Amino acid sequence: MGSSGINAEYMGSSGINAEYMGSSGINAEYMGHEWDVARMRARLLLLAVCAMGCAVRSEGKAHLLIQKAMLTNRPFAGKDLPIRYRIFNVGDAAAHDVTLEDEWSAEEFQPVSGLQSGTWSHIAPGANMSHIVVLRPYSYGYKTSTAAKVTYKHSESDDQVQVSFSNDLGPLPVLSSKDDDKLAAPHMTEWLTFIGMAVASALLPLLMFRPAQSHAKKA
C-alpha cells in the first residue's frame, strides 16, 4: 500500500500582537473553549464523511474524503502536537496513486517525527488509511493551518488526476507554558487534598485505639 512516512498506529511570529496577548500570551479558559469547538467540528466532519459515503457508493468509482484532526486536547508551546490524517475511500472502486500533501509553517512549527506528505499505491473501496505527523510549536499564540490535499486516479492508466481537500482546522490556539502550569495547578491541589484525607482516615483509628489501650493497662 506504499509508505505513509510513519507508523499509522503511533499515537504518540505568533500572528498576534504580543502586548495584546498579555503576560501569559492567551487566556487558557478561552483557548480551552476554542479547542472544544474544534473537536466538535472534527466529529461533525466524520459524520459528514459517513453520510457522503452512503450518497456516492453507487457511482462505481473511487471517491476519497480526508479528515484532519489534532490528537491532543490543548497544544502548548514547546510540546509535541500530533496531527492525524484519515483518508476514506467511500466509492465503489479502488483509488490509485494516492498522495497526501500538507503544509506547516517552518517559522511556527518544528517537525518532530513523520512526514508532511504520504503516498499509497492504492486504497481499496470501503477502506481508510491513517497518517500521523508530530509537530512542536515554537511559541504561543494563534497558528495557521490550511487544508491538506489528496490526489488520486481512478485507474493506474488514467491520465486524469482527482483532487480532494481535508477540513481546515482554522487558527490553532497554542497555549504558553505558564498556561500549562495554571491548568495543572488545580489538579495538583485535588491530589494533595485526596492524599491528606486518605492519610487522616488511616491514622484516625490508630490514634483512637492507643488511648483505649492505655486505659486498659492502667485498669
Side-chain angles (χ1 to χ4, degrees):
M1 296 293 291
S3 171
S4 64
I6 189 171
N7 192 316
E9 296 299 325
Y10 169 78
M11 300 297 288
S13 137
S14 63
I16 192 165
N17 188 285
E19 180 180 354
Y20 169 78
M21 296 189 57
S23 59
S24 67
I26 255 179
N27 184 280
E29 182 178 355
Y30 175 76
M31 301 283 280
H33 173 70
E34 290 284 320
W35 275 112
D36 291 338
V37 172
R39 294 180 69 184
M40 181 61 68
R41 288 172 58 189
R43 291 171 182 170
L44 291 176
L45 176 66
L46 186 58
L47 291 176
V49 167
C50 296
M52 189 173 293
C54 296
V56 302
R57 289 197 67 87
S58 60
E59 294 183 359
K61 296 181 179 180
H63 190 86
L64 300 186
L65 300 177
I66 311 97
Q67 180 196 37
K68 181 178 178 180
M70 296 153 291
L71 300 181
T72 181
N73 291 330
R74 294 184 179 93
F76 294 94
K79 292 190 175 182
D80 290 354
L81 172 59
I83 304 294
R84 181 181 66 187
Y85 307 88
R86 298 183 69 185
I87 305 174
F88 300 84
N89 186 355
V90 296
D92 288 332
H96 299 269
D97 297 334
V98 182
T99 63
L100 167 69
E101 298 178 1
D102 197 11
E103 294 183 1
W104 294 90
S105 172
E107 298 179 355
E108 297 180 334
F109 297 95
Q110 172 191 359
V112 177
S113 64
L115 300 175
Q116 298 181 28
S117 62
T119 60
W120 296 265
S121 60
H122 69 280
I123 298 179
N128 67 85
M129 302 298 296
S130 294
H131 178 84
I132 295 178
V133 59
V134 181
L135 307 169
R136 187 173 297 160
Y138 285 114
S139 60
Y140 60 78
Y142 285 94
K143 309 301 179 181
T144 58
S145 171
T146 58
K149 182 176 73 172
V150 166
T151 61
Y152 63 98
K153 297 180 179 179
H154 290 310
S155 66
E156 296 180 359
S157 58
D158 193 358
D159 294 332
Q160 187 174 2
V161 177
Q162 310 297 321
V163 180
S164 296
F165 292 91
S166 73
N167 56 304
D168 186 354
L169 297 179
L172 304 183
V174 177
L175 299 172
S176 67
S177 56
K178 293 182 180 180
D179 293 322
D180 190 11
D181 296 336
K182 290 179 181 179
L183 293 172
H187 297 287
M188 182 62 67
T189 302
E190 293 174 0
W191 274 107
L192 292 175
T193 302
F194 173 77
I195 293 174
M197 295 178 63
V199 171
S201 61
L203 292 178
L204 186 59
L206 181 61
L207 295 175
M208 295 178 62
F209 175 74
R210 284 185 175 179
Q213 188 179 40
S214 177
H215 287 302
K217 290 182 178 180
K218 289 181 180 180

